[in-house]
Amino acid sequence: MKTVRTIAELRQQIADWRAAGQSVALVPTMGALHAGHIALVGAALALADRAVVSIFVNPTQFAPNEDLARYPRDEAGDVAKLAGAGAHLVWAPTVSEMYPEGFATRIVVEGAALPLEGAFRPHHFGGVATVVCKLLSAVTPDLALFGEKDFQQLAVIRQMVRDLALPVTIRGIATVREDDGLALSSRNAYLSADERYIAPMLYKVISEVARGRDPAEASEALLAAGFTKVDYVEVRDAETLVPFVRGSGRPGRVLAAVWLGKTRLIDNVATG
Ligand code: PAF
């Protein structure tokens, strides 16, 4: 498994695979890899001949007050995990490779990007869409895989790919959870022992909302359990993310974002 830094090296490798008639899957990541990412690589290997994993902590999706500087980074550890998982290529570009001097383009996303995370982090999905578009344009994969853990991100990427007719298939892969239900996330590393003890309540409570519990009451239960703040617990249409209408026959999704001390956790589950 090779690690390349530049788009030129990446494209050379992809061209060699294409010349051999091989299909390519991309798993975009920001590193600090855990079993959830490795599940994405496993799915990529099952669906394509070659699996490329990008590792890039994208500055444009963090607001100035967010955790860019302290976002966990461990490239050597990540590369070892990816080699063990059977990935074929790691693409770990520098910030100047992705955003060279004079870079002045940003994708504006609306629709599924506006509510929930979009209301609390208005800069976020524009940065995600811009970097994902560039990752897709550099790799030109047949398919790209994203975790359902970031469910709204997945909806926004599907919307962008559809709207811009990007020639790639997007696959969402089920969230990987700890035994106690906590969704795996690179940000779990920030949790203190006490916070880690409380954290699995999030999954328990949103699962109750999926079975019909009132979201406002669920928010109160989360605060009573020790969460510092609840940004939202909402039931939304699973594709458009407009408010869910029970009995509409449409798929629904419960989405939540909460704070435990200085750590913000998000999670989601399908409605029953
Ligand atoms: O989900 C992530 O890790 C990031 O948002 C992504 C999709 C790699 C874009 O930076």
Side-chain angles (χ1 to χ4, degrees):
M1 189 189 74
K2 268 202 301 195
T3 299
V4 295
R5 307 266 166 214
T6 65
I7 294 177
E9 292 167 286
L10 168 76
R11 285 193 167 143
Q12 184 54 58
Q13 178 62 83
I14 303 283
D16 291 347
W17 289 336
R18 293 292 186 203
Q22 294 176 330
S23 58
V24 177
L26 171 65
V27 178
T29 81
M30 297 206 301
L33 304 181
H34 50 64
H37 297 108
I38 301 307
L40 296 179
V41 175
L45 290 167
L47 294 165
D49 299 316
R50 298 290 178 174
V52 178
V53 180
S54 61
I55 300 178
F56 181 63
V57 183
N58 173 37
T60 68
Q61 67 190 74
F62 292 79
N65 62 327
E66 291 183 345
D67 59 348
L68 173 63
R70 72 166 188 149
Y71 196 84
R73 289 167 172 83
D74 175 19
E75 189 182 304
D78 290 343
V79 166
K81 286 177 194 160
L82 292 172
H88 296 100
L89 184 71
V90 175
W91 178 35
T94 58
V95 173
S96 60
E97 180 73 3
M98 291 300 279
Y99 298 112
E101 185 75 23
F103 187 96
T105 299
R106 188 171 167 94
I107 294 189
V108 175
V109 275
E110 298 183 344
L114 293 180
L116 309 171
E117 290 301 289
F120 284 89
R121 306 178 68 196
H123 58 281
H124 177 65
F125 286 126
V128 169
T130 303
V131 80
V132 169
C133 192
K134 185 154 185 173
L135 295 170
L136 293 173
S137 136
V139 179
T140 61
D142 299 279
L143 69 148
L145 299 97
F146 297 85
E148 287 187 345
K149 158 80 174 27
D150 293 293
F151 193 80
Q152 189 175 6
Q153 168 174 280
L154 177 60
V156 170
I157 290 166
R158 285 191 199 284
Q159 173 184 278
M160 174 182 75
V161 164
R162 188 189 63 234
D163 289 351
L164 301 183
L166 300 180
V168 62
T169 299
I170 302 299
R171 288 280 189 135
I173 302 297
T175 302
V176 179
R177 298 182 181 279
E178 302 281 8
D179 289 345
D180 59 12
L182 177 64
L184 296 195
S185 164
S186 307
R187 289 186 170 100
N188 293 351
Y190 302 152
L191 297 173
S192 69
D194 286 351
E195 290 166 348
R196 176 65 189 80
Y197 179 77
I198 296 168
M201 272 296 279
L202 176 58
Y203 176 57
K204 184 173 175 291
V205 168
I206 62 173
S207 300
E208 288 166 6
V209 174
R211 293 192 294 270
R213 186 174 188 181
D214 175 53
E217 194 192 292
S219 297
E220 292 306 319
L222 289 168
L223 293 171
F227 287 87
T228 318
K229 187 169 171 265
V230 176
D231 280 351
Y232 57 83
V233 176
E234 290 197 29
V235 191
R236 294 270 167 165
D237 183 286
E239 279 160 29
T240 61
L241 297 186
V242 298
F244 180 62
V245 181
R246 282 195 194 273
S248 63
R250 299 271 310 159
R253 202 86 187 179
V254 183
L255 300 106
V258 296
W259 290 85
L260 260 176
K262 289 187 163 54
T263 305
R264 189 169 185 272
L265 299 178
I266 59 171
D267 202 354
N268 65 87
V269 289
T271 55

